[in-house]
Amino acid sequence: MAQRKKTAELAEPDIRKILEAGRIETELDLERVTLAERHLMLQEKQHPELRETRITLSDLTIEYESRKWSDRSLITDTQIEESDAAEIQAEREYVFLWKRNKLILAKLQELSLKQKDLALLLNHSKSYTSELLNGIRPFSTNDLKLIHLLFEIPLTDLIITIPSQETLDRLETAIGKISSLNPKAKLLRETLANRPVAKGLV
C-alpha cells in the first residue's frame, strides 16, 4: 500500500479514472477536473465528440461541491488549506501537460503527420489518442519513451515531475535528517529549491 502511495505522488492526472469511478473524492481531483472541463470547452468546437465528457465532468464537479462545500458551518481551515494547495498543484500540472501537448502537436505538424498517425505509432485507437492529447487519459511511460525516440523531444519535457506540497514537506524533513550526519546532503535541498516550476497558466 505504501509503495502505491509513493508512486502516485508523481503520477499524471487521470481524468478517465475519475469518470469511470463516477465520483470526485479529493480536492486535487476537483481542481484537475475543473481544469480539464475548461480545456474541453475550448476544444469542443473543433471536436464535438468531447462535449459529452465535458458535461459529465461538470456534473461531477457540481456533485462534489454540493457534498463538500455547500454547508459552510462544516468547512474547516484544513479543508480550505487543502483546497488552496490542490489548486496550485493542479495548475502546475496543467501548464506542464499543455506545453507537452504543444510540443507533440508541433512535431506532428513538422512531419505532416495527423493524430491518426500518432495513434498508429503508439498502437492506440484514434479516440484513445485523442483522450491522451486532451489530458483525459495519462500517457504511459512506454508512450512517452516512444515519443521521445521518434520525435526527439527531451524526456524532461515529456515526463511530469511535479510533487505535491505534502511530498515537498516530506523531502525537506528527510533531507534535514540525512544532512545532520552528512553535510553534503544539504545540496539536495538546493537542487529541490532550484527545480523548474511552471508558474501560472500560459
Side-chain angles (χ1 to χ4, degrees):
M1 182 68 73
Q3 184 61 44
R4 285 200 295 271
K5 182 179 179 182
K6 289 178 183 177
T7 302
E9 287 178 346
L10 295 177
E12 290 201 14
D14 191 343
I15 303 301
R16 171 53 58 190
K17 186 176 181 180
I18 298 171
L19 285 165
E20 290 173 354
R23 184 181 174 95
I24 297 172
E25 296 291 354
T26 68
E27 290 298 319
L28 180 56
D29 280 345
L30 172 66
E31 297 298 335
R32 287 168 168 171
V33 165
T34 300
L35 289 171
E37 182 193 351
R38 291 177 191 169
H39 174 77
L40 294 183
M41 187 178 294
L42 295 174
Q43 300 297 316
E44 199 174 295
K45 190 172 182 180
Q46 290 183 317
H47 302 281
E49 71 276 7
L50 297 174
R51 176 176 170 77
E52 183 178 348
T53 299
R54 181 187 64 77
I55 292 174
T56 302
L57 291 178
S58 178
D59 291 341
L60 291 177
T61 299
I62 292 170
E63 189 278 332
Y64 180 87
E65 290 181 337
S66 174
R67 179 163 36 96
K68 295 290 187 176
W69 290 93
S70 60
D71 190 340
R72 295 193 176 190
S73 66
L74 297 178
I75 297 174
T76 64
D77 290 341
T78 300
Q79 185 178 346
I80 294 172
E81 290 172 3
E82 182 184 349
S83 176
D84 290 343
E87 183 178 2
I88 293 170
Q89 183 178 349
E91 280 200 3
R92 288 174 176 171
E93 291 172 349
Y94 180 81
V95 171
F96 179 90
L97 298 177
W98 181 83
K99 288 181 177 178
R100 181 177 71 183
N101 187 49
K102 280 192 68 177
L103 286 172
I104 295 172
L105 293 177
K107 283 293 184 179
L108 292 179
Q109 185 175 15
E110 181 184 321
L111 297 171
S112 299
L113 297 174
K114 299 183 182 298
Q115 186 173 298
K116 65 179 182 180
D117 299 316
L118 179 62
L120 186 61
L121 290 168
L122 298 180
N123 197 29
H124 295 315
S125 68
K126 186 178 177 181
S127 60
Y128 190 100
T129 304
S130 175
E131 290 198 349
L132 290 175
L133 291 173
N134 282 292
I136 302 302
R137 291 183 185 272
F139 280 95
S140 70
T141 301
N142 190 60
D143 289 335
L144 296 176
K145 286 179 180 178
L146 287 175
I147 290 170
H148 164 68
L149 178 66
L150 293 167
F151 303 137
E152 298 183 313
I153 299 174
L155 286 173
T156 51
D157 291 329
L158 294 174
I159 298 176
I160 192 167
T161 56
I162 300 176
S164 65
Q165 187 58 51
E166 181 182 353
T167 301
L168 290 174
D169 292 342
R170 180 181 60 76
L171 288 172
E172 182 70 26
T173 300
I175 291 170
K177 290 179 180 179
I178 296 169
S179 59
S180 65
L181 299 174
N182 177 6
K184 288 184 178 180
K186 292 180 181 178
L187 293 173
L188 295 173
R189 185 178 284 115
E190 294 179 19
T191 302
L192 199 61
N194 294 327
R195 75 193 187 284
V197 176
K199 298 179 180 178
L201 298 176
V202 180

